[in-house]
Amino acid sequence: MLAYVIGVVLFALAICVSVALHEAGHMVTARMFGMRVRRYFVGFGPTVFSFRRGETEYGLKAIPLGGFCDIAGMTALDEVTAEEAPRAMWRFKAWKRTVVMSAGSITHFLLGFIVLFVMAATMGLPNVDQKPIVSTISDCVRGGTTVEQVNNPVCQPGDPAPAKKAGLLPGDVVVSVAGKPTPTWDAMVTQVKAVSGKVPVVVDRGGKQETFVVDVPKVTRPAANGGTESVGAVGVGVARSIQYSPLGAFGGAASFTGDMFARTWDGLMAFPKRIPAVFNSIFGGERDPDTPVSVVGASRLGGEAVEAGLWQVFLLLLASLNFFIGVFNLLPLLPMDGGHIAIVWYERVRDWLRGLRGKPAGGPVDYTKLSAITMVLVVVGGGVTLLTVTADIVNPIRLQ
């Protein structure tokens, strides 16, 4: 129980640090371009302490959830003093304002990549694409009428050890079996089951392809639809994680980051249709593991991962959440940063088109006209957050 509590606290703290660094990204880039940064605070609520350094006030709030960065003149409607007016954010070029407003999301992406890089360089990254990477080589293969007999064979003298005798090693990536490509582990297993006798197996070992001749025996195994079947077997196990060298960790993390971006986007697009399932789970329905989770739910999963000693899962959850927050924050909707970026470039394109027609630049977008839409989005976002938090309390997703 103590390990679970520690895991929950660690994950929640990591999220708070991520959001605080998000705001720090805004602050650093704004100051880099010469914009006036009034305040940078970690947390919300009553001020615990603060201090001023130069023109910026730094401080800590009583509720350590997130934070904020107050940049003078983020829009032309914001009140600024005469001293602040020349360095108001809205006066700067569109690309500079875009950099500042996207810096928060970029910070999340960097944090997610750093987490994945550390994983790649130490414990490895999950083999999510089920690449046919060999992790274990069995001393023998035996048949059996039950899964237990197959998974826990008692080797006898003379039992075949096909992969071991042929010279396959842990870390080999199976490229083809009997001339047929095996892009995934399932494809390799299917092909092995269908062959017997001396079969050429091509593997990638350290970037170089080598061919081995494996004498594949036919063994009796439980069939998926009941009964038994005679299938080929070579005695290898799949690698659940992909290990990298210190130099290869960068490329591995970059590739995995690209995959996570794609999965994050797919999950975001499927977000609306999964909300009804979250609602049903609150009132006794089974909680679908693919439904959205709140910070509460993610922290609980982090606690379970620590309790089970699954630090790889803990770190993967943290990286995933950073990517999700970063992508979500760039959606072109107010009050998110992506909404402000969309308005900046709307003004830029509008003024360019007006210039082509010989007209002067238009004025800044009137944010008051967008307040109704913004309020609707805030209410909807608050409702979804409340819904997911409630579901994560009464019917949480669990690792097992």
Side-chain angles (χ1 to χ4, degrees):
M1 184 62 183
L2 179 59
Y4 172 77
V5 173
I6 291 174
V8 171
V9 172
L10 280 177
F11 199 87
L13 181 61
I15 295 173
C16 291
V17 171
S18 295
V19 177
L21 290 175
H22 169 117
E23 298 299 332
H26 292 314
M27 178 187 67
V28 170
T29 50
R31 294 183 63 176
M32 179 178 68
F33 289 130
M35 299 175 190
R36 177 70 177 266
V37 179
R38 296 164 174 160
R39 296 181 298 164
Y40 171 75
F41 273 76
V42 175
F44 293 98
T47 300
V48 177
F49 71 85
S50 68
F51 62 91
R52 180 171 293 277
R53 180 166 295 175
E55 60 189 18
T56 305
E57 181 185 8
Y58 303 85
L60 176 69
K61 297 287 186 176
I63 304 173
L65 298 175
F68 63 91
C69 175
D70 180 13
I71 304 173
M74 190 170 180
T75 74
L77 299 179
D78 294 346
E79 292 186 5
V80 294
T81 65
E83 181 185 4
E84 294 171 337
R87 296 167 58 200
M89 183 175 178
W90 68 270
R91 293 182 179 275
F92 286 74
K93 292 183 177 181
W95 73 268
K96 291 184 177 181
R97 285 184 281 164
T98 301
V99 169
V100 172
M101 286 183 284
S102 62
S105 287
I106 292 172
T107 300
H108 284 297
F109 300 150
L110 288 174
L111 288 172
F113 175 79
I114 290 170
V115 171
L116 294 179
F117 175 78
V118 170
M119 290 177 64
T122 54
M123 61 186 71
L125 292 170
N127 185 12
V128 293
D129 294 326
Q130 287 294 291
K131 296 178 181 178
I133 304 172
V134 176
S135 65
T136 57
I137 309 288
S138 300
D139 290 332
C140 70
V141 293
R142 290 178 64 84
T145 57
T146 67
V147 174
E148 290 74 16
Q149 291 173 337
V150 173
N151 291 338
N152 298 287
V154 178
C155 296
Q156 301 293 334
D159 283 340
K164 190 171 186 179
K165 287 182 178 179
L168 270 65
L169 297 174
D172 287 345
V173 182
V174 181
V175 177
S176 66
V177 174
K180 291 189 176 181
T182 53
T184 65
W185 183 261
D186 287 343
M188 190 211 75
V189 171
T190 299
Q191 180 60 11
V192 168
K193 284 182 175 181
V195 300
S196 63
K198 297 184 182 299
V199 175
V201 175
V202 179
V203 304
D204 185 306
R205 181 177 292 175
K208 181 182 178 182
Q209 289 194 0
E210 299 184 32
T211 301
F212 298 86
V213 177
V214 183
D215 192 359
V216 183
K218 285 287 187 179
V219 297
T220 300
R221 295 283 171 88
N225 57 353
T228 60
E229 60 183 346
S230 180
V231 297
V234 295
V236 294
V238 63
R240 303 299 177 186
S241 297
I242 302 176
Q243 305 298 320
Y244 296 91
S245 66
L247 290 178
F250 187 88
S255 176
F256 201 88
T257 295
D259 292 340
M260 290 198 75
F261 268 119
R263 288 193 293 272
T264 298
W265 180 254
D266 290 342
L268 199 57
M269 293 299 98
F271 191 95
K273 67 181 182 182
R274 290 174 178 166
I275 294 301
V278 177
F279 183 83
N280 292 334
S281 70
I282 295 175
F283 298 97
E286 184 178 354
R287 183 73 185 271
D288 186 342
D290 288 332
T291 53
V293 297
S294 65
V295 171
V296 173
S299 298
R300 293 185 68 157
L301 287 171
E304 290 183 18
V306 171
E307 187 176 37
L310 302 175
W311 285 100
Q312 188 184 60
V313 174
F314 180 94
L315 293 173
L316 198 61
L317 282 169
L318 185 60
S320 299
L321 191 62
N322 270 286
F323 286 127
F324 179 82
I325 295 173
V327 172
F328 186 79
N329 191 59
L330 287 179
L331 292 178
L333 302 169
L334 289 173
M336 292 176 288
D337 292 330
H340 291 284
I341 294 172
I343 290 175
V344 167
W345 286 100
Y346 162 76
E347 292 176 344
R348 183 73 181 84
V349 172
R350 179 204 60 190
D351 291 345
W352 176 71
L353 292 175
R354 289 176 65 89
L356 292 179
R357 291 179 291 171
K359 295 183 178 182
V365 167
D366 187 353
Y367 275 74
T368 59
K369 294 181 179 179
L370 300 174
S371 59
I373 298 175
T374 302
M375 186 55 62
V376 169
L377 292 174
V378 169
V379 171
V380 171
V384 171
T385 300
L386 181 61
L387 191 68
T388 53
V389 168
T390 303
D392 290 333
I393 293 174
V394 302
N395 192 0
I397 295 174
R398 300 189 183 280
L399 290 181
Q400 296 180 345

